[in-house]
mmCIF file of all heavy atoms in Angstrom:
data_model
loop_
_atom_site.group_PDB
_atom_site.id
_atom_site.type_symbol
_atom_site.label_atom_id
_atom_site.label_comp_id
_atom_site.label_asym_id
_atom_site.label_seq_id
_atom_site.Cartn_x
_atom_site.Cartn_y
_atom_site.Cartn_z
ATOM 1 N N SER A 17 93.711 -6.478 -0.297
ATOM 2 C CA SER A 17 93.497 -5.876 -1.636
ATOM 3 C C SER A 17 92.082 -5.255 -1.619
ATOM 4 O O SER A 17 91.255 -5.561 -0.769
ATOM 5 C CB SER A 17 93.554 -6.952 -2.722
ATOM 6 O OG SER A 17 92.407 -7.743 -2.726
ATOM 7 N N HIS A 18 91.834 -4.487 -2.608
ATOM 8 C CA HIS A 18 90.461 -4.052 -2.903
ATOM 9 C C HIS A 18 89.766 -5.299 -3.459
ATOM 10 O O HIS A 18 90.382 -6.084 -4.170
ATOM 11 C CB HIS A 18 90.501 -2.938 -3.965
ATOM 12 C CG HIS A 18 89.181 -2.243 -4.119
ATOM 13 N ND1 HIS A 18 88.830 -1.189 -3.308
ATOM 14 C CD2 HIS A 18 88.146 -2.496 -4.942
ATOM 15 C CE1 HIS A 18 87.608 -0.805 -3.667
ATOM 16 N NE2 HIS A 18 87.186 -1.562 -4.650
ATOM 17 N N PRO A 19 88.451 -5.491 -3.177
ATOM 18 C CA PRO A 19 87.794 -6.672 -3.685
ATOM 19 C C PRO A 19 88.002 -6.819 -5.226
ATOM 20 O O PRO A 19 88.012 -5.811 -5.939
ATOM 21 C CB PRO A 19 86.304 -6.429 -3.426
ATOM 22 C CG PRO A 19 86.341 -5.519 -2.228
ATOM 23 C CD PRO A 19 87.560 -4.710 -2.317
ATOM 24 N N ASP A 20 88.240 -8.062 -5.664
ATOM 25 C CA ASP A 20 88.363 -8.412 -7.063
ATOM 26 C C ASP A 20 89.781 -8.197 -7.636
ATOM 27 O O ASP A 20 89.972 -8.446 -8.828
ATOM 28 C CB ASP A 20 87.353 -7.672 -7.954
ATOM 29 C CG ASP A 20 86.048 -8.456 -8.017
ATOM 30 O OD1 ASP A 20 86.080 -9.644 -7.629
ATOM 31 O OD2 ASP A 20 85.014 -7.870 -8.429
ATOM 32 N N ALA A 21 90.722 -7.714 -6.863
ATOM 33 C CA ALA A 21 92.051 -7.515 -7.408
ATOM 34 C C ALA A 21 92.754 -8.845 -7.604
ATOM 35 O O ALA A 21 93.722 -8.944 -8.401
ATOM 36 C CB ALA A 21 92.871 -6.584 -6.521
ATOM 37 N N GLY A 22 92.314 -9.876 -6.868
ATOM 38 C CA GLY A 22 92.934 -11.186 -7.062
ATOM 39 C C GLY A 22 93.492 -11.832 -5.819
ATOM 40 O O GLY A 22 94.318 -12.730 -5.877
ATOM 41 N N LYS A 23 93.019 -11.363 -4.640
ATOM 42 C CA LYS A 23 93.560 -11.924 -3.363
ATOM 43 C C LYS A 23 93.288 -13.423 -3.238
ATOM 44 O O LYS A 23 94.200 -14.172 -2.917
ATOM 45 C CB LYS A 23 92.838 -11.138 -2.208
ATOM 46 C CG LYS A 23 93.337 -11.531 -0.852
ATOM 47 C CD LYS A 23 92.740 -10.591 0.171
ATOM 48 C CE LYS A 23 91.278 -10.848 0.335
ATOM 49 N NZ LYS A 23 90.968 -12.099 1.041
ATOM 50 N N THR A 24 92.060 -13.842 -3.511
ATOM 51 C CA THR A 24 91.730 -15.247 -3.395
ATOM 52 C C THR A 24 92.539 -16.099 -4.345
ATOM 53 O O THR A 24 93.057 -17.146 -4.012
ATOM 54 C CB THR A 24 90.221 -15.465 -3.676
ATOM 55 O OG1 THR A 24 89.489 -14.470 -2.951
ATOM 56 C CG2 THR A 24 89.769 -16.833 -3.302
ATOM 57 N N THR A 25 92.675 -15.607 -5.611
ATOM 58 C CA THR A 25 93.422 -16.347 -6.611
ATOM 59 C C THR A 25 94.883 -16.437 -6.187
ATOM 60 O O THR A 25 95.491 -17.540 -6.263
ATOM 61 C CB THR A 25 93.309 -15.634 -7.964
ATOM 62 O OG1 THR A 25 91.944 -15.289 -8.201
ATOM 63 C CG2 THR A 25 93.793 -16.517 -9.118
ATOM 64 N N LYS A 47 83.894 -14.746 -0.812
ATOM 65 C CA LYS A 47 83.333 -13.433 -0.956
ATOM 66 C C LYS A 47 81.841 -13.507 -0.917
ATOM 67 O O LYS A 47 81.233 -14.411 -1.495
ATOM 68 C CB LYS A 47 83.730 -12.829 -2.295
ATOM 69 C CG LYS A 47 85.179 -12.523 -2.352
ATOM 70 C CD LYS A 47 85.492 -11.896 -3.678
ATOM 71 C CE LYS A 47 85.372 -12.862 -4.805
ATOM 72 N NZ LYS A 47 85.672 -12.325 -6.108
ATOM 73 N N ASN A 139 98.834 -7.373 -10.183
ATOM 74 C CA ASN A 139 98.239 -8.585 -10.782
ATOM 75 C C ASN A 139 97.527 -8.331 -12.097
ATOM 76 O O ASN A 139 97.258 -7.187 -12.474
ATOM 77 C CB ASN A 139 97.255 -9.121 -9.751
ATOM 78 C CG ASN A 139 96.752 -10.515 -10.100
ATOM 79 O OD1 ASN A 139 97.416 -11.285 -10.758
ATOM 80 N ND2 ASN A 139 95.506 -10.815 -9.656
ATOM 81 N N LYS A 140 97.273 -9.398 -12.826
ATOM 82 C CA LYS A 140 96.448 -9.399 -14.055
ATOM 83 C C LYS A 140 97.221 -8.814 -15.257
ATOM 84 O O LYS A 140 96.627 -8.138 -16.082
ATOM 85 C CB LYS A 140 95.105 -8.708 -13.874
ATOM 86 C CG LYS A 140 94.291 -9.226 -12.720
ATOM 87 C CD LYS A 140 92.844 -8.796 -12.794
ATOM 88 C CE LYS A 140 92.107 -9.196 -11.519
ATOM 89 N NZ LYS A 140 90.735 -8.789 -11.515
ATOM 90 N N ASP A 142 98.161 -10.218 -17.712
ATOM 91 C CA ASP A 142 97.722 -10.799 -18.970
ATOM 92 C C ASP A 142 96.608 -9.917 -19.602
ATOM 93 O O ASP A 142 96.207 -10.152 -20.743
ATOM 94 C CB ASP A 142 97.187 -12.196 -18.760
ATOM 95 C CG ASP A 142 96.059 -12.248 -17.721
ATOM 96 O OD1 ASP A 142 96.205 -11.575 -16.668
ATOM 97 O OD2 ASP A 142 95.032 -12.882 -17.996
ATOM 98 N N ARG A 143 96.168 -8.926 -18.857
ATOM 99 C CA ARG A 143 95.176 -8.000 -19.358
ATOM 100 C C ARG A 143 95.744 -6.644 -19.664
ATOM 101 O O ARG A 143 96.744 -6.291 -19.096
ATOM 102 C CB ARG A 143 94.066 -7.809 -18.336
ATOM 103 C CG ARG A 143 93.161 -8.974 -18.162
ATOM 104 C CD ARG A 143 91.911 -8.468 -17.552
ATOM 105 N NE ARG A 143 91.046 -9.557 -17.187
ATOM 106 C CZ ARG A 143 90.124 -9.455 -16.185
ATOM 107 N NH1 ARG A 143 90.029 -8.353 -15.510
ATOM 108 N NH2 ARG A 143 89.364 -10.486 -15.939
ATOM 109 N N SER A 255 100.738 -12.479 -12.883
ATOM 110 C CA SER A 255 99.328 -12.825 -13.124
ATOM 111 C C SER A 255 98.999 -14.053 -12.272
ATOM 112 O O SER A 255 99.448 -15.185 -12.595
ATOM 113 C CB SER A 255 99.076 -13.104 -14.606
ATOM 114 O OG SER A 255 97.862 -13.735 -14.772
ATOM 115 N N ALA A 256 98.270 -13.861 -11.198
ATOM 116 C CA ALA A 256 97.984 -14.948 -10.290
ATOM 117 C C ALA A 256 97.201 -16.054 -11.007
ATOM 118 O O ALA A 256 97.506 -17.238 -10.877
ATOM 119 C CB ALA A 256 97.190 -14.424 -9.101
ATOM 120 N N LEU A 257 96.256 -15.665 -11.845
ATOM 121 C CA LEU A 257 95.423 -16.632 -12.510
ATOM 122 C C LEU A 257 96.279 -17.554 -13.393
ATOM 123 O O LEU A 257 96.005 -18.736 -13.551
ATOM 124 C CB LEU A 257 94.387 -15.915 -13.384
ATOM 125 C CG LEU A 257 93.318 -16.757 -14.023
ATOM 126 C CD1 LEU A 257 92.425 -17.354 -12.923
ATOM 127 C CD2 LEU A 257 92.476 -15.930 -14.967
ATOM 128 N N ASN A 258 97.312 -16.999 -13.985
ATOM 129 C CA ASN A 258 98.155 -17.762 -14.883
ATOM 130 C C ASN A 258 99.412 -18.329 -14.203
ATOM 131 O O ASN A 258 100.346 -18.748 -14.883
ATOM 132 C CB ASN A 258 98.611 -16.883 -16.071
ATOM 133 C CG ASN A 258 97.403 -16.548 -16.940
ATOM 134 O OD1 ASN A 258 96.877 -17.378 -17.580
ATOM 135 N ND2 ASN A 258 97.026 -15.281 -16.903
HETATM 136 P P1 G4P B 601 89.555 -11.044 -4.604
HETATM 137 O O1 G4P B 601 89.715 -12.231 -3.753
HETATM 138 O O2 G4P B 601 90.656 -10.006 -4.458
HETATM 139 O O3 G4P B 601 88.227 -10.413 -4.503
HETATM 140 O O4 G4P B 601 89.708 -11.508 -6.146
HETATM 141 P P2 G4P B 601 89.637 -12.939 -6.831
HETATM 142 O O5 G4P B 601 90.884 -13.697 -6.571
HETATM 143 O O6 G4P B 601 88.348 -13.589 -6.520
HETATM 144 O O7 G4P B 601 89.698 -12.475 -8.336
HETATM 145 C C1 G4P B 601 88.701 -11.671 -8.895
HETATM 146 C C2 G4P B 601 88.567 -11.962 -10.380
HETATM 147 O O8 G4P B 601 89.767 -11.706 -11.066
HETATM 148 C C3 G4P B 601 88.255 -13.439 -10.650
HETATM 149 O O9 G4P B 601 87.429 -13.538 -11.788
HETATM 150 C C4 G4P B 601 89.613 -14.036 -10.985
HETATM 151 O O10 G4P B 601 89.544 -15.177 -11.769
HETATM 152 C C5 G4P B 601 90.218 -12.851 -11.732
HETATM 153 N N1 G4P B 601 91.704 -12.850 -11.736
HETATM 154 C C6 G4P B 601 92.527 -13.102 -10.694
HETATM 155 N N2 G4P B 601 93.820 -13.002 -11.117
HETATM 156 C C7 G4P B 601 93.826 -12.768 -12.437
HETATM 157 C C8 G4P B 601 94.801 -12.628 -13.421
HETATM 158 O O11 G4P B 601 96.034 -12.728 -13.174
HETATM 159 N N3 G4P B 601 94.407 -12.365 -14.698
HETATM 160 C C9 G4P B 601 93.074 -12.298 -15.027
HETATM 161 N N4 G4P B 601 92.778 -12.063 -16.306
HETATM 162 N N5 G4P B 601 92.098 -12.420 -14.097
HETATM 163 C C10 G4P B 601 92.455 -12.674 -12.848
HETATM 164 P P3 G4P B 601 85.860 -13.710 -11.670
HETATM 165 O O12 G4P B 601 85.386 -13.826 -13.069
HETATM 166 O O13 G4P B 601 85.281 -12.645 -10.804
HETATM 167 O O14 G4P B 601 85.720 -15.028 -10.833
HETATM 168 P P4 G4P B 601 85.929 -16.521 -11.324
HETATM 169 O O15 G4P B 601 84.684 -16.894 -11.939
HETATM 170 O O16 G4P B 601 87.106 -16.558 -12.255
HETATM 171 O O17 G4P B 601 86.197 -17.224 -10.040
#
Side-chain angles (χ1 to χ4, degrees):
S17 75
H18 191 87
D20 274 345
K23 183 172 71 71
T24 313
T25 314
K47 291 183 291 181
N139 190 29
K140 307 195 186 180
D142 57 315
R143 285 201 189 155
S255 165
L257 188 66
N258 293 292

